[in-house]
Amino acid sequence: MRAYFAMTKKEFLESIRTYRLFLIAAVFLLFGMLNPITAKIMPELLSSFMPEGLTVTLTENPRAIDSWIQFYKNMPTQLILFLILFSGVLTNELSKGTLIHLLTKGLARKTVILSKFTAAACIWTAGYLVCFGATFGYTMYLLPGKLPNIAFSAFCMWLFGVLLISLLLLGGIASGSIYGALLLPGGFLGLLMLLQMIPKLTKYNPYLLASGNVSLLTSQLEKTDFSVSICITFALLILFLSGSLLIFDKKQL
């Protein structure tokens, strides 16, 4: 356990030294503030840019839901940036051979994987909370209004991000390259989006956690509609982490 905590601390320090942590905090905070501000001024912006004679029906008074629509609309961009920034957390050390020295000193291979996953998941959680908190606070100030299932909806999107982090790690271990690390979650995401087009599979699809958030806030979907997809997501998360541990344990360094 001591080695696990030491390696996890090392990962956090590495994120600070490489400015990954500060970049994530800045970007997520910026988006968090912009979400409600954009929702507030969007009708006026669209009206000012519309050609004369063209009439478009716009909501005169932006609502709280408009801010959260922006939140879930922008979150994929932030998640992609996060995955890009963390795509080399393992592959860089593999290519430089820095892990070999630690492993020869008796460090367990599973400790390396679990510590890197823990650090990445914690930083994703911190960045996500910063964005959520900024959006929530500014929305309450600019566009007050009560919405159902805000916390549960946010949890679903967060969990989907953790799932992609586990895939990022698995891709990096299996391929040994940054491109491979990004290709696996990208391909998996594309597959889920294709499966989302089959209505009968929607409740089983983990992608529902990233696509049904607004429907939760508008009560078009209920929490129970996400039960199966959440269970499948947790099962896949354990499967991907187990695969990472197994492959890395057999990998020739």
Side-chain angles (χ1 to χ4, degrees):
M1 260 328 250
R2 185 177 299 176
Y4 166 75
F5 286 117
M7 283 295 296
T8 304
K9 180 181 178 180
K10 167 188 167 297
E11 293 301 320
F12 280 115
L13 292 175
E14 185 69 20
S15 293
I16 294 174
R17 292 193 188 103
T18 57
Y19 301 103
R20 280 197 302 259
L21 186 60
F22 299 111
L23 184 57
I24 290 295
V27 170
F28 278 57
L29 178 60
L30 178 62
F31 272 99
M33 293 187 296
L34 286 179
N35 291 327
I37 294 175
T38 301
K40 178 74 173 179
I41 67 174
M42 184 61 72
E44 297 179 8
L45 284 177
L46 290 177
S47 298
S48 63
F49 284 105
M50 284 295 173
E52 294 185 8
L54 182 62
T55 303
V56 177
T57 303
L58 298 172
T59 303
E60 294 183 1
N61 299 313
R63 302 163 297 167
I65 186 63
D66 298 315
S67 176
W68 291 107
I69 289 174
Q70 290 295 322
F71 177 84
Y72 290 111
K73 179 182 177 182
N74 293 328
M75 188 52 65
T77 301
Q78 296 162 252
L79 181 53
I80 290 172
L81 174 63
F82 182 92
L83 294 176
I84 291 174
L85 288 175
F86 279 83
S87 59
V89 290
L90 181 63
T91 55
N92 287 339
E93 292 193 60
L94 288 175
S95 61
K96 295 177 182 177
T98 54
L99 279 178
I100 298 177
H101 178 70
L102 294 174
L103 294 174
T104 54
K105 291 292 184 180
L107 180 66
R109 293 195 177 201
K110 66 178 180 180
T111 300
V112 174
I113 301 303
L114 293 177
S115 62
K116 289 184 179 297
F117 173 76
T118 300
C122 287
I123 293 174
W124 158 248
T125 302
Y128 189 84
L129 287 176
V130 166
C131 186
F132 177 84
T135 298
F136 184 85
Y138 274 77
T139 300
M140 290 295 293
Y141 178 74
L142 296 174
L143 305 167
K146 293 184 178 180
L147 293 172
N149 304 318
I150 286 183
F152 182 75
S153 177
F155 164 76
C156 290
M157 187 70 201
W158 168 84
L159 180 59
F160 188 74
V162 175
L163 178 65
L164 292 186
I165 291 173
S166 69
L167 266 172
L168 182 76
L169 199 58
L170 177 60
I173 295 170
S175 66
S177 69
I178 292 177
Y179 300 107
L182 292 171
L183 183 61
L184 187 57
F188 180 76
L189 181 58
L191 176 62
L192 293 184
M193 294 175 70
L194 289 176
L195 293 176
Q196 188 75 358
M197 299 171 64
I198 305 175
K200 292 183 179 180
L201 297 180
T202 299
K203 69 176 183 178
Y204 305 101
N205 194 340
Y207 188 65
L208 180 63
L209 304 183
S211 63
N213 315 90
V214 175
S215 296
L216 262 173
L217 299 180
T218 57
S219 298
Q220 292 176 306
L221 292 175
E222 300 296 332
K223 292 180 180 179
T224 53
D225 296 322
F226 291 74
S227 301
V228 178
S229 59
I230 288 176
C231 291
I232 291 176
T233 300
F234 273 113
L236 289 174
L237 179 58
I238 295 173
L239 178 64
F240 296 150
L241 282 178
S242 300
S244 297
L245 293 172
L246 181 61
I247 294 174
F248 192 61
D249 189 54
K250 303 295 183 182
K251 193 176 183 67
Q252 187 71 32
L253 299 180

